Amino acid sequence: MAAARLAQSSSDMAPGLDYDAIIVGAGMSGLYQLYRLRELGMKVRVFEAATGVGGTWYWNRYPGARFDSESYSYGYSFSKHLLEEWEWSEHFAGQPETLRYLNYVADKFDLRRDIQFSSRVTAASNEEETRSWRITLEDGSCFTARFLITAIGPLSTPTLPRIEGRDSFEGKSFHTARWPKKPVDFVGQRVAVIGTGATGVQTIQTIAKDVGHLTVFQRTPNWCAPLHNGRIDAETQKRIKAGYPEMFARCQETFACFIHTPDPRGAFEVSDEEREAFYEKLYGERGFGIWQGNFRDILIDRKANATISDFVARKIRERVKDPKVAEKLIPRNHGFGTRRLPLETFYYEVYNQDNVELVDLGETPIERITPDGIRTTARAYQFDIIIFATGFDAITGAFDNIDFRGTGGVRLKDKWKSGPQTYLGLMVDGFPNMMMLMGPHTALGNIPRSIEYSVDWVTGLIGFARRSGLTRLEATTAGVEAWTEHVKALGAGLLSNEVDSWMTGINRNVEGKEKRIVARYSGSAPAYRARCDEVAAGGYSELKLA
Ligand code: NAP
C-alpha cells in the first residue's frame, strides 16, 4: 500500500500504468466522464468501438430516429456556454441533429484527442498487485489504468430474432441499431418490419410514405401516444434559453428527471368527466406528459390504469379505420405505460394506407425467413428489404459482451448469473476500482440527467481517492447485498415489473434471458441521488478503501 501511495503522490499515476483511468464508450456518459476526469488532471483514455462519438446516437440511424424527451431537457446541463451556443431546431430532435450535437460537444471541449476509435474492448481484468485494470481490445492490444469506468450504455447490444432461416434472406436486411450511414432507398420497395417497440414505431411511421408496400409483423402491440413535435421558433428559443436553470432544477425534482410531474390526484378522486377531460388534454400535449404527468396512481393501481388504457384504446379505434386492424393494435397483456411508452406521429394512420398490412404474429406466427421473404403459418410474403426493429439485450447485455474479471479471476457474468448485483448501481464487490455509468440498478429515466449525476458522483469518488492517497476502492459485499435487495423491494407493486419487456430483463432472442429479473432501479431519481449523496457525505466510508 505504501508504494502505491508514494506513486500516487509523486506522479499522480502508478509507474508502469498506461493511464489513470480508462473509459469504455464515447457516448453521452463517456464524453462527459472524460471531461470531468480531465478537470482532475488525470491522464484518461476512452476506447470506443465506433468510428465516431455519440453511442446510441451514432448507431441508431434508422429512419425517423429521434428523441422522445424534450430536446432541451435532454442536452448536457454542465456548461453554460454550451447551453447558450447550441440551438435545438425541434422540440424532439432527430438523430442527425443529436449526433451533430454530440460531435459539437466533442469538438468544443477538445475531447477527441483522448478517444481511440474503432477499438472494441473485449476483456477487462483486475490486477490485484498493481491495483489496476488491464483491458484488451479486439485486435489483441492491451492497456492498463488505475480506474476502469464503463460507459457502455443500457441499450447498446442489438439482438436479432431467433427465427429459422434468418440468414438465408437474399434481399437487404438491417437491424435498426446497425443502420448504414448511407440512406436506404425505400421507393417502390416491398419492406417488412419485425418489431413494434419505440424503434419500430418510429421506423414504420417514417418509411410508410416512401415504400412500395409495407408489412408490419407485430408480436405484441404497444400502447403509444402522440409526440406532437414541432419546430422551435426564435421566440420560444429565447424562452428556453432563459429558462434553463429552472427547467434543469425541475428535472432534478421529478420522479424520472423528465420535465413532467405526476398529478397529485388519484384517477378516481375526480369525476368521470374530469378524468376524461384530463386524459384528452394530456393526449393533446407534447411528449411524455401522458405517461409521467398523469394521475399519480395509473402505474401502480390496476383499476386506475384501466381507465387510461381504455381511453387510449378508444383513440386507437378512432384513428384506425378498419376495426379489425384497430383491435390488433390494442395491447391486451399489459396496461398503458407499463412498458416504455413509444411516442408517435401519425403511427396509427399508417394502417389506413392501402399499401400497409399488419400481421398479428399471435394469430399467424412466423415459421421461417426464406431467401425471398418471410413465411408465416398463413402464407409466404416476398420482400426486398427486411428491417429488424427487434430491440436490445438490455442493461446487462453490454456487460456480458466484455469478459470482465474481478479479483481472483471471478467473471462478472457468473456473478450476475441470476441477475445483477451492485452497490448503488455504480460498483460491484470483487471488482475494485471499476465504476459503472448507466449500468444495472441505477436510476435511468431521462438519461442525460442521470448520466450527469452518476458521472459527477464517480468523479467525486475518484477525486477523493486521489486527494487521500487511496488506490483501491471497492464496494463491500454487505453493501451490494443491501442495495440489490433495496432495488428489488422498490420494484414490488409496480405494474411495469409484472410485464415482460427489456425493462424486466426479458429478451427471448438471447439464451438465458427468458426470465424476469430486477435490472432497473425503479425508485425516484431524487431518492437515488439522496442515497448516493449520503455515501459521499460520509466520506465513502461504506466502501472498502485502501
Ligand atoms: P423493444 O422495445 O425491445 O422492442 C422490440 C420489438 O421487437 C418488440 O415489439 C418485440 O416484440 C419485437 N420482437 C423481438 N423479437 C421478436 C421476434 N423474434 N419475433 C417477432 N417480434 C420480435 O426495442 P426498441 O423498440 O428498440 O426500443 C428499446 C428502447 O430503446 C425503448 O423502450 C426506449 O427506451 C429506447 N428508444 C428510445 C427512443 C427515443 O428516445 N426516441 C427511440 C427508440 C428506442 P415483443 O414485445 O413481443 O417482445
Side-chain angles (χ1 to χ4, degrees), residues 220-235:
T220 313
N222 282 301
W223 296 102
C224 308
L227 176 69
H228 295 300
N229 193 15
R231 291 197 74 74
I232 298 175
D233 59 34
E235 206 38 51

Side-chain angles (χ1 to χ4, degrees), residues 57 62 66-68 155 161-163 194-200 202 219-220 222 339-340 361 389-392 502 509:
W57 301 103
Y62 61 85
R66 66 174 61 250
F67 289 146
D68 41 25
L155 292 159
R162 288 201 274 191
I163 300 176
I194 302 181
T196 51
T199 301
Q202 289 185 331
R219 190 164 66 181
T220 313
N222 282 301
R339 284 172 143 201
R340 166 42 161 88
L361 297 179
T390 43
F392 302 88
W502 68 261
N509 299 316

Side-chain angles (χ1 to χ4, degrees), residues 140-438:
S141 50
C142 292
F143 301 91
T144 54
R146 171 76 70 220
F147 298 106
L148 173 67
I149 299 163
T150 65
I152 51 186
L155 292 159
S156 54
T157 305
T159 47
L160 287 164
R162 288 201 274 191
I163 300 176
E164 218 179 302
R166 196 189 67 212
D167 298 331
S168 69
F169 182 61
E170 287 170 0
K172 291 181 188 151
S173 65
F174 310 100
H175 190 288
T176 44
R178 289 294 177 270
W179 202 264
K181 286 184 180 162
K182 211 170 142 237
V184 175
D185 185 7
F186 290 104
V187 176
Q189 301 289 292
R190 297 163 303 171
V191 183
V193 176
I194 302 181
T196 51
T199 301
V201 166
Q202 289 185 331
T203 306
I204 291 162
Q205 69 196 13
T206 306
I207 64 171
K209 59 184 182 317
D210 297 325
V211 293
H213 193 278
L214 175 64
T215 310
V216 176
F217 292 89
Q218 171 189 270
R219 190 164 66 181
T220 313
N222 282 301
W223 296 102
C224 308
L227 176 69
H228 295 300
N229 193 15
R231 291 197 74 74
I232 298 175
D233 59 34
E235 206 38 51
T236 313
Q237 194 74 256
K238 258 198 231 152
R239 257 205 328 273
I240 289 169
K241 288 193 180 181
Y244 268 134
E246 292 76 36
M247 190 212 57
F248 286 124
R250 182 183 167 92
C251 288
Q252 293 305 300
E253 288 164 9
T254 61
F255 191 88
C257 303
F258 293 106
I259 58 176
H260 312 278
T261 332
D263 192 285
R265 299 169 300 172
F268 296 108
E269 288 166 20
V270 299
S271 69
D272 292 354
E273 292 72 28
E274 277 175 289
R275 191 185 318 114
E276 184 75 8
F278 183 52
Y279 289 160
E280 197 66 62
K281 172 177 161 296
L282 291 175
Y283 201 76
E285 284 175 356
R286 258 188 204 112
F288 279 140
I290 195 163
W291 188 34
Q292 298 289 320
N294 211 315
F295 291 121
R296 63 171 160 76
D297 51 359
I298 63 146
L299 301 179
I300 46 174
D301 181 278
R302 230 170 274 284
K303 284 192 180 145
N305 185 273
T307 63
I308 179 69
S309 299
D310 173 63
F311 174 86
V312 178
R314 279 186 276 127
K315 286 290 178 194
I316 297 171
R317 291 187 185 108
E318 276 168 27
R319 292 174 59 185
V320 178
K321 285 188 190 144
D322 182 335
K324 278 198 201 125
V325 177
E327 291 313 309
K328 287 180 187 173
L329 288 164
I330 297 173
R332 313 279 166 193
N333 67 350
H334 66 283
F336 177 87
T338 60
R339 284 172 143 201
R340 166 42 161 88
L341 185 76
L343 291 180
E344 48 85 24
T345 306
F346 302 120
Y347 171 65
Y348 290 110
E349 285 72 12
V350 162
Y351 295 98
N352 298 333
Q353 288 182 210
D354 291 340
N355 63 340
V356 177
E357 180 181 359
L358 178 67
V359 177
D360 181 345
L361 297 179
E363 285 173 5
T364 56
I366 294 176
E367 278 185 349
R368 61 176 298 123
I369 293 179
T370 59
D372 67 350
I374 293 177
R375 199 170 71 216
T376 67
T377 49
R379 58 165 279 209
Y381 298 81
Q382 276 78 46
F383 297 115
D384 303 302
I385 301 174
I386 299 179
I387 298 175
F388 297 109
T390 43
F392 302 88
D393 183 358
I395 303 183
T396 51
F399 286 89
D400 292 347
N401 281 346
I402 296 174
D403 186 11
F404 288 101
R405 303 275 177 149
T407 50
V410 170
R411 292 176 72 202
L412 188 64
K413 201 171 174 174
D414 291 338
K415 195 172 168 66
W416 285 2
K417 209 162 48 201
S418 333
Q421 300 166 43
T422 77
Y423 176 69
L424 307 177
L426 290 159
M427 299 174 82
V428 183
D429 56 328
F431 292 74
N433 293 357
M434 174 173 128
M435 290 85 170
M436 305 176 293
L437 299 171
M438 299 302 99

